Amino acid sequence: MSPKLNRNTLAAAAGIAILGAIVILPVALRAQQQQPTHPVPAAKDGGTVVMLCDGKTSIEIKNLKPGQQATEQQGRAVANELMAKWQQQHPGEHWETAQAAALSPEANASPTAPAKSKPAAASGQQQGDTYASFTSRDYKVWQTETQKFVDEGKRVFHDSKALGGTIGVSCDMCHPDGSNTHPETYPKYQVQLQRVALLRDMIDWCIENPVKGPTLSPNDAKLRALEAYILAQRKGVPLDYGKH
Amino acid sequence: MAARHKSVETKFMEEREEVLRGLRGLDRRSFLKVVAATAGAVMAKGLIAPHSFQLVTIANAAVEKGTSTNGMAGQPPFTFAYISDTHLYERTLNQRFIRGALKAVEDVNALDPQPDFVLFGGDLAQLGTAEELELGQQILGEVKAPIKMMVGEHDWFLDMGDKWQELFGPPNYSFEWKGVHVVVLMSVHEKDFWTARKMTPQQRMGTVAGLDNGIQSRFEVGDEEREWLKNDLAKVPTTTPILVFSHSPLYKYYRNWNFWTDDAEQVQAILRPYDKVTVIHGHTHQMLFNQIANISFYGMLSTAWPWPYAPQGLPALTVQMNRADPFDQFDACGNGRMNVRADGLVDKIYNLWDRNPVTVKADYLRSRGKTYRPPAPQFATY
Amino acid sequence: MATIRGSADNAASALRPKPRLKNLARRAAVFTVGFALHLGLFWPARNGLGTRTDALDSAPTRRLVANQRRNSKRCANTVRPGAGALVPVTSGGRGSPHDRYRLRMNRVRFSGRRKVCVTAARTARHEPITGANMIRGRIWIGLILIVAATGISALIASAQEPGPLADPKSQSQVGFPAELYSWVIPADNPQTPAKIALGKQLFFEDGLSGDGKVSCDQCHGPAKGFTDQLPTSMGIHGQFGQRNAPTILNALFSTTQFWDGRAATLEDQAKQPILNPIEMGVKSPQEAVAKIKAIPGYSDQFLKVFGHDVNYDDMARAIASYERTQIAFDTPFDHYMAGDQSAIGDDAKRGWSIFNGKGRCMSCHGWNPTQPLFSEFKFHNIGVSAHKSDFVPLARKALALLASGSTPLDIDKLAIQTDMSGLGRFLVTKQPHDIGSFRTMGLRNLLVTQPYFHDGSQPTLWDTLDHYNKGGVQNPYLDGGIVPLGLSESEEDDLVAFLATLTSPEYEAMAKEEYDAQFKRSRTDRPQRDTEAAMGLKGRNGPGLGGPFGDIGPDQDQMGENPALLGGD
């Protein structure tokens, strides 16, 4: 009795397993991937509807009956048409970043995500990498560079030797944290200079007089860094030129 | 409707008119008396504070007359002057701060009559080197009146006070003066921030010398010294006026710039039992005053450079000084004098260079700003 | 307590004032008439008819010739006969009546600068006296008289005219600040031609003084840049005051008048010197009005201009009105700022650069197109009077006096007549920080308004620069902005070259002369110079107070990062 029963049982078990796999596996996979399901619109002309996985863009291939195999040319044409259609809906965007953004877990947390930097004009096509189209990666690079510039200014601000001063006086002695510099009030008539000045002109005057260093050219890297640091300390303060 | 009690001002203006009626044709002695009375009257109005050309004793008596004298009746009033925050560099590097320190010495030596003593408010050196401290000692050696020294952080953190103690003795001490108990604190201790960072002494000093780097610890009096203070005050009756000299403010003004004493509340608690406590502090380089419970706080001016007012935490009682003009190395700097009244309360005269002196009265502080308000600055401040 | 500086104090440094043209003319007239009479009446009698003297080689003649040679050596600048001066021709020896006239001539200076020594220049001309000669002589006398009389009357006539420099100036000068001008003309005293003419007349009116001899132009003479070019001014009866006379040129643009700003307007200012006892010496406003009324023509003019008779306030208004016509721009510097790069030389350009940078001048002597006066009109103690006055006891005294209540005239008297003059602005504000402070003066036309500072103590521009270069003179109230500057000799020369470009065209010739004289003097005579202090080398080597010192910035080519180009404008 055992040999016949064993074989049959094995076969039955294998069948059940396979069936189970067929049934369970997609479910399991689905659970893992959590792919969104997009309802595909019904075909109007009896063709096949192909939809992009954004769940919105779709196209109907008229001559292709469901179950029929499409040719390579047909496939390519369909792909091109779908892409064109998608780009019409999303002018100026890159499909790779859109896809990555949609799939990435930080999709919600990303700062100026490309979605936010859409140009205002909804009509008209704007294509290519225009000024406003920067990515979060770009932004990160820019922030880092700006901070380096400001930090360089901070370094020079606090160091009399870096300023070129000859008497051991540095800016932070009278302006801790850049206080009492009022960069938002420039341009204004600067009484020490007896002329209308910009912030960097007054910085230069201070370098010459209280700090006793050689005056820097307006394009000097250190002077510009100092200006950057001072302006950075006044983020959010409204501009008020000419205020005394 | 004649008021039953005349205000101090009215009384003095009347006295002055009487005296000045006989102005013409005076002999020299009477003439000087007139000058003094005028000075007193003017000072009482807080308009012009006496400085080197005013006779102070009579003015003091004039001020005193109008105030209450409960407490130490019979004790003579006295004055002391101060020079603070000279931040001297070596002679070969920087002469500007030397010039400021010498100007303060000249001012103090020209006071007539001379103050009882001169308090040095701390930060004699800028980087705490031996040359700087010795230069400071040399300059202060020209002061005629006796000097009481107080240490600041710039003097201490290069060698943790070795040179200072060698030149000037212990950093904290106390003494009696004409019925007032005077305590000099070392209030700029800091918890160790340099060992973990493996800083050299110069780096440690450089860090402490920077106001806004946020690396150094906040100032504190410290447990040990608070104990010492408690013991020192144990024998002092609570009616005795107390003068506390401290470099850090002994209250919490602005943490980022170390205008701050971490254990301020505990120190204030030790001083709470006393009726009349005045704290004279340095470090802030600005006209600054405050009243917390029974304690009046007066900040001293620097001779080297002024600090701006902090973005927050400024005591409401402080009347600000105008912004400093960087063209003028003396602007918003100076020195000053305190008049200790017979009752032990202290009025302060800010001798601002290149500006008019400003008097701040104890009555102003203790009345929480209701009387004797110092004149407001004329132009926009910070 | 109050000491009036007598003329003796000023003798050493003062140049004797140029005698009034009219006085000179008067004296000359007296002399000519007397001389003519003498010649006509006494000369022939002296020599006697029939007195014969021999030919030119006679002994008396030889003596005369020898005398002339000797006398001409005695005096550096001798006016030789025939050079145009009236020289007595005499045959008398010493002690003759002619000597009186000769001596009087010696005392008269024809120009304020150099003493013109008219010696006893005797001619060798000695003609025998004959009847024919007598007649010829008298014809000559007559001719000389006529010519002299014409000349002298012309002198007198011209002396009464103030000259073209006194005329109202045109507003179409390059650099003229039209906007600022419209701000400073007061609404209650608009400019009209009649008022200006009346004001001018009053300005030059001698009768407006205690002794009838002093007018405004004595201290503010148009030919001298509207000053008197003296250290301190001389008023009535030859009394000297304590302050240097500021120029009227561009005074209308100042926010206050006088060195200590005790007058708010030109009208207020005009009222004070008239009543000051040592300036014009009129006892009261009523007396001044009476004096003017007594002079024919004024009452009608006042009626026409102001609608009522002479009064003190209107007098001041008229004078102020005239003063507001004295504007002086159109300088080479103004042309340079208007775009003409060749208007000033390279040395002046360097000087302008130093002015803006290392010299730290601009911060107080500010210039901008809207207010191009080279002053911010504030008050600073730069240490000028510190070396003469001891401030501390002076201030003590002043406070007591002023506490008894003071009118503006009291301050005026203190400022002009007493040693408290050095207290400056303190007399006006009674604020301690004003002790020894004086107003920042403008820098235009400096080369015709010497000497400099409130007490006229510095005769040349180099002296003023030396004063600043070394950080002023130490005193307890010295402004903290006054610090050693570290200027080199060539930098000072450049600065002076720049200041020289601030001269208006009508004063150009005089300024050039003055510049040359000052330049020459500056090569050898520099009493204020203290190079050690200027370079910050004086430093402290040990205990002891005194002496200026400070930090000098690093050496840098001023034109490299030219501070004159910094900022706007």
Side-chain angles (χ1 to χ4, degrees):
Chain A
M1 180 130 152
S2 358
K4 255 194 213 171
L5 198 64
N6 282 344
R7 242 184 280 135
N8 284 340
T9 320
L10 272 170
I16 289 167
I18 291 165
L19 263 174
I22 293 168
V23 170
I24 293 166
L25 204 55
V27 174
L29 280 171
R30 218 176 284 137
Q32 250 185 15
Q33 282 188 8
Q34 289 174 8
Q35 296 275 9
T37 50
H38 302 301
V40 180
K44 292 194 205 98
D45 300 324
T48 311
V49 177
V50 182
M51 181 177 237
L52 278 186
C53 43
D54 67 348
K56 296 186 200 124
T57 318
S58 64
I59 191 179
E60 186 178 341
I61 311 169
K62 295 196 185 63
N63 301 327
L64 196 67
K65 299 276 184 273
Q68 248 186 322
Q69 184 119 17
T71 64
E72 202 185 317
Q73 271 100 342
Q74 264 181 322
R76 275 216 203 102
V78 163
N80 286 343
E81 242 186 277
L82 272 175
M83 178 56 90
K85 208 168 177 189
W86 183 88
Q87 279 189 332
Q88 209 172 24
Q89 303 299 319
H90 303 92
E93 282 190 40
H94 285 231
W95 66 268
E96 303 100 324
T97 48
Q99 186 182 43
L103 286 176
S104 78
E106 308 123 7
N108 295 331
S110 118
T112 56
K116 290 198 187 124
S117 65
K118 262 185 234 174
S123 63
Q125 263 178 302
Q126 291 190 36
Q127 299 185 349
D129 283 309
T130 59
Y131 176 60
S133 68
F134 63 93
T135 65
S136 56
R137 156 80 174 265
D138 288 330
Y139 188 72
K140 224 168 148 189
V141 170
W142 300 343
Q143 287 285 73
T144 312
E145 273 300 294
T146 310
Q147 198 54 44
K148 275 197 200 148
F149 193 44
V150 167
D151 288 342
E152 168 65 5
K154 182 174 178 181
R155 180 192 73 84
V156 177
F157 194 86
H158 287 79
D159 182 355
S160 68
K161 286 217 172 57
L163 286 163
T166 55
I167 55 171
V169 171
S170 53
C171 311
D172 66 307
M173 278 177 171
C174 290
H175 301 284
D177 288 332
S179 59
N180 199 26
T181 51
H182 309 275
E184 70 277 3
T185 60
Y186 289 92
K188 69 179 175 197
Y189 192 89
Q190 189 69 49
V191 292
Q192 289 80 13
L193 286 144
Q194 288 287 325
R195 50 185 359 124
V196 179
L198 301 172
L199 174 60
R200 72 177 66 174
D201 301 327
M202 187 54 187
I203 298 172
D204 228 358
W205 185 91
C206 270
I207 290 176
E208 187 175 8
N209 286 280
V211 171
K212 290 280 183 251
T215 44
L216 303 173
S217 147
N219 294 323
D220 187 290
K222 283 202 272 220
L223 186 63
R224 295 166 69 240
L226 284 169
E227 191 177 310
Y229 170 70
I230 291 169
L231 286 166
Q233 305 313 301
R234 294 296 267 182
K235 178 168 173 146
V237 177
L239 294 178
D240 199 354
Y241 88 95
K243 176 177 192 287
H244 276 96
Chain B
M1 179 153 14
R4 286 214 0 222
H5 301 284
K6 292 184 187 164
S7 75
V8 175
E9 279 96 338
T10 316
K11 269 177 36 189
F12 286 126
M13 294 314 278
E14 285 176 350
E15 278 179 54
R16 186 190 89 154
E17 285 315 307
E18 226 178 86
V19 165
L20 291 177
R21 226 169 279 141
L23 177 64
R24 305 198 193 285
L26 288 176
D27 63 20
R28 178 174 166 73
R29 196 168 301 151
S30 325
F31 177 80
L32 285 177
K33 232 197 271 180
V34 162
V35 170
T38 317
V42 168
M43 184 180 137
K45 293 195 78 177
L47 290 173
I48 298 177
H51 181 49
S52 47
F53 54 84
Q54 300 281 13
L55 300 179
V56 171
T57 331
I58 297 176
N60 249 348
V63 169
E64 228 182 280
K65 267 200 274 179
T67 57
S68 66
T69 51
N70 51 320
M72 297 298 298
Q75 289 297 325
F78 65 92
T79 72
F80 64 94
Y82 73 81
I83 299 171
S84 184
D85 292 272
T86 50
H87 290 272
L88 297 170
Y89 272 119
E90 283 168 22
R91 209 190 319 266
T92 46
L93 173 62
N94 180 313
Q95 291 184 8
R96 174 184 305 159
F97 300 155
I98 299 175
R99 192 175 168 196
L102 283 166
K103 188 171 162 75
V105 170
E106 271 177 34
D107 283 350
V108 163
N109 284 343
L111 286 174
D112 181 28
Q114 278 282 286
D116 278 20
F117 60 85
V118 175
L119 165 68
F120 180 75
D123 285 350
L124 183 63
Q126 167 66 3
L127 294 177
T129 66
E131 291 88 0
E132 292 167 358
L133 288 168
E134 278 162 8
L135 172 63
Q137 187 187 42
Q138 223 176 25
I139 290 171
L140 289 178
E142 296 180 29
V143 173
K144 291 192 278 198
I147 299 202
K148 306 288 180 193
M149 296 298 292
M150 180 162 74
V151 71
E153 75 278 14
H154 286 254
D155 308 310
W156 190 263
F157 282 95
L158 182 64
D159 56 5
M160 301 311 283
D162 287 338
K163 187 71 186 175
W164 178 274
Q165 291 180 83
E166 180 194 315
L167 290 174
F168 304 115
N172 55 319
Y173 55 98
S174 70
F175 58 94
E176 305 288 319
W177 195 275
K178 294 187 179 167
V180 175
H181 185 79
V182 184
V183 175
V184 181
L185 287 178
M186 192 311 191
S187 58
V188 290
H189 288 294
E190 289 190 19
K191 296 215 164 20
D192 188 332
F193 64 88
W194 52 89
T195 312
R197 292 183 173 85
K198 296 192 175 53
M199 287 184 169
T200 67
Q202 283 76 18
Q203 286 170 330
R204 171 179 66 208
M205 184 66 247
T207 308
V208 172
L211 200 73
D212 57 356
N213 54 45
I215 299 174
Q216 59 178 307
S217 319
R218 303 303 98 185
F219 292 140
E220 60 178 15
V221 174
D223 299 328
E224 218 178 282
E225 200 166 312
R226 283 201 315 274
E227 264 314 300
W228 172 87
L229 179 63
K230 241 188 266 182
N231 294 335
D232 184 78
L233 290 177
K235 310 166 214 94
V236 180
T238 56
T239 48
T240 309
I242 310 281
L243 264 182
V244 180
F245 297 157
S246 155
H247 190 72
S248 70
L250 292 186
Y251 63 96
K252 292 176 170 168
Y253 167 15
Y254 189 56
R255 192 170 204 284
N256 291 9
W257 294 349
N258 236 342
F259 287 0
W260 191 269
T261 310
D262 243 359
D263 50 0
E265 288 87 9
Q266 288 147 295
V267 176
Q268 289 170 21
I270 298 173
L271 296 166
R272 185 63 35 78
Y274 295 86
D275 297 332
K276 298 174 202 129
V277 184
T278 308
V279 170
I280 313 284
H281 70 87
H283 186 62
T284 48
H285 298 209
Q286 62 199 210
M287 218 169 89
L288 183 68
F289 28 97
N290 198 3
Q291 179 83 27
I292 298 176
N294 60 322
I295 310 174
S296 303
F297 297 84
Y298 288 113
M300 292 186 276
L301 297 171
S302 161
T303 63
W305 72 80
W307 288 128
Y309 287 106
Q312 58 203 74
L314 186 67
L317 285 173
T318 295
V319 175
Q320 293 184 29
M321 57 186 192
N322 293 345
R323 258 160 65 191
D325 179 359
F327 181 73
D328 177 351
Q329 72 161 87
F330 294 142
D331 198 19
C333 299
N335 51 16
R337 205 175 70 242
M338 325 290 182
N339 295 331
V340 182
R341 305 171 352 182
D343 58 7
L345 293 174
V346 178
D347 297 337
K348 177 165 187 219
I349 299 159
Y350 282 95
N351 179 32
L352 287 152
W353 290 332
D354 285 357
R355 301 182 182 190
N356 290 328
V358 177
T359 307
V360 184
K361 299 256 209 52
D363 298 312
Y364 165 71
L365 294 178
R366 290 167 79 86
S367 70
R368 301 304 192 276
K370 293 202 185 63
T371 58
Y372 294 105
R373 191 177 174 82
Q378 220 175 334
F379 307 106
T381 56
Y382 298 92
Chain C
M1 134 185 92
T3 53
I4 297 174
R5 283 262 200 97
S7 52
D9 286 1
N10 268 339
S13 54
L15 299 161
R16 284 256 83 89
K18 173 179 157 180
R20 312 283 300 118
L21 275 175
K22 291 189 214 128
N23 292 339
L24 167 61
R26 234 176 267 136
R27 278 191 236 171
V30 165
F31 165 73
T32 316
V33 168
F35 166 54
L37 277 175
H38 186 93
L39 277 184
L41 296 174
F42 296 119
W43 188 53
R46 183 110 177 113
N47 287 293
L49 277 170
T51 307
R52 289 175 60 98
T53 41
D54 290 335
L56 283 165
D57 62 349
S58 71
T61 315
R62 277 201 297 276
R63 224 183 305 131
L64 281 169
V65 172
N67 274 341
Q68 182 193 15
R69 288 211 191 101
R70 194 178 57 230
N71 288 337
S72 59
K73 282 197 193 99
R74 199 182 292 151
C75 193
N77 303 298
T78 308
V79 176
R80 300 228 157 27
L86 296 169
V87 177
V89 174
T90 179
S91 64
R94 280 206 158 276
S96 77
H98 295 287
D99 283 300
R100 268 209 313 279
Y101 299 121
R102 215 167 24 241
L103 288 169
R104 201 171 286 158
M105 289 292 285
N106 282 344
R107 256 187 247 120
V108 172
R109 277 83 155 142
F110 286 104
S111 89
R113 294 218 141 270
R114 294 193 259 309
K115 289 187 190 171
V116 173
C117 187
V118 179
T119 64
R122 306 171 195 200
T123 68
R125 241 182 91 236
H126 198 81
E127 290 177 344
I129 309 297
T130 61
N133 280 350
M134 251 178 71
I135 294 164
R136 194 172 1 136
R138 284 184 188 176
I139 291 170
W140 272 116
I141 289 161
L143 280 172
I144 290 169
L145 264 178
I146 292 163
V147 168
T150 325
I152 282 156
S153 56
L155 257 175
I156 293 173
S158 70
Q160 277 165 351
E161 286 300 310
L165 286 171
D167 290 339
K169 307 282 201 304
S170 153
Q171 286 180 17
S172 56
Q173 300 179 37
V174 173
F176 171 69
E179 220 171 357
L180 185 66
Y181 181 81
S182 69
W183 300 344
V184 301
I185 303 294
D188 62 354
N189 191 16
Q191 300 284 85
T192 68
K195 198 190 292 181
I196 291 168
L198 172 59
K200 182 177 173 186
Q201 215 181 330
L202 286 167
F203 192 88
F204 291 93
E205 180 54 68
D206 279 355
L208 189 51
S209 60
D211 63 352
K213 294 193 187 139
V214 181
S215 57
C216 307
D217 73 305
Q218 171 163 310
C219 302
H220 301 285
K224 296 191 169 177
F226 281 91
T227 66
D228 49 11
Q229 293 179 348
L230 293 177
T232 62
S233 294
M234 181 183 78
I236 193 172
H237 306 314
Q239 300 170 93
F240 282 87
Q242 300 285 318
R243 298 264 176 94
N244 179 267
T247 179
I248 306 286
L249 296 169
N250 297 327
L252 73 157
F253 297 111
S254 301
T255 55
T256 56
Q257 302 299 328
F258 292 116
W259 280 97
D260 50 20
R262 62 183 182 275
T265 62
L266 286 172
E267 286 84 347
D268 290 337
Q269 187 280 333
K271 292 182 190 168
Q272 295 193 33
I274 296 172
L275 300 176
N276 186 293
I278 69 168
E279 291 182 310
M280 290 162 82
V282 176
K283 300 268 182 332
S284 67
Q286 292 75 17
E287 194 184 307
V289 170
K291 283 182 191 286
I292 294 299
K293 266 199 196 152
I295 300 170
Y298 275 114
S299 287
D300 291 334
Q301 274 190 290
F302 269 85
L303 208 58
K304 240 185 285 183
V305 174
F306 292 105
H308 37 250
D309 204 353
V310 185
N311 69 79
Y312 200 56
D313 286 341
D314 285 339
M315 278 167 58
R317 285 199 190 95
I319 293 173
S321 204
Y322 166 65
E323 290 171 340
R324 292 194 174 101
T325 65
Q326 295 311 317
I327 54 183
F329 296 90
D330 215 11
T331 65
F333 176 77
D334 290 314
H335 285 264
Y336 174 63
M337 294 317 277
D340 179 4
Q341 291 298 315
S342 61
I344 66 176
D346 283 339
D347 52 358
K349 286 181 188 158
R350 283 196 303 273
W352 173 230
S353 181
I354 295 165
F355 189 90
N356 279 271
K358 201 171 162 187
R360 290 162 58 95
C361 318
M362 190 67 156
S363 304
C364 297
H365 290 283
W367 177 96
N368 61 72
T370 306
Q371 185 170 273
L373 280 314
F374 293 97
S375 170
E376 34 55 315
F377 304 119
K378 293 197 183 356
F379 300 87
H380 303 282
N381 176 328
I382 64 170
V384 171
S385 48
H387 63 280
K388 287 185 204 157
S389 318
D390 190 3
F391 278 123
V392 172
L394 261 185
R396 211 187 286 225
K397 229 171 20 173
L399 197 62
L401 262 180
L402 292 170
S404 61
S406 57
T407 67
L409 281 178
D410 293 338
I411 300 176
D412 187 68
K413 289 202 189 78
L414 287 173
I416 297 294
Q417 294 167 240
T418 71
D419 56 0
M420 286 206 243
S421 178
L423 294 171
R425 182 78 176 149
F426 173 76
L427 295 175
V428 179
T429 63
K430 298 151 215 163
Q431 306 285 332
H433 79 269
D434 278 330
I435 291 177
S437 293
F438 293 89
R439 188 152 62 89
T440 310
M441 282 299 183
L443 301 179
R444 291 177 178 273
N445 295 303
L446 283 177
L447 286 171
V448 295
T449 58
Q450 74 281 7
Y452 309 107
F453 292 149
H454 74 274
D455 54 0
S457 56
Q458 304 310 321
T460 74
L461 290 173
W462 276 268
D463 294 327
T464 63
L465 291 182
D466 285 333
H467 173 90
Y468 285 110
N469 199 14
K470 69 185 180 189
V473 177
Q474 282 301 102
N475 68 86
Y477 302 96
L478 182 67
D479 193 305
I482 299 297
V483 292
L485 298 172
L487 299 173
S488 68
E489 283 305 314
S490 71
E491 282 172 333
E492 283 199 23
D493 291 342
D494 289 339
L495 267 172
V496 179
F498 159 69
L499 292 172
T501 65
L502 305 179
T503 308
S504 297
E506 62 267 28
Y507 292 108
E508 201 185 307
M510 192 193 279
K512 177 80 181 61
E513 225 181 87
E514 177 63 20
Y515 177 86
D516 291 338
Q518 285 192 12
F519 182 88
K520 191 152 167 248
R521 185 172 170 161
S522 73
R523 303 300 104 182
T524 54
D525 190 13
R526 299 277 282 276
Q528 296 302 324
R529 180 164 50 189
D530 184 346
T531 313
E532 266 194 352
M535 295 301 157
L537 295 171
K538 210 140 193 172
R540 288 312 176 110
N541 294 318
L545 306 172
F549 66 99
D551 302 301
I552 307 298
D555 214 4
Q556 187 184 22
D557 171 26
Q558 286 287 285
M559 297 297 278
E561 286 309 325
N562 192 347
L565 302 176
L566 202 72
D569 166 52

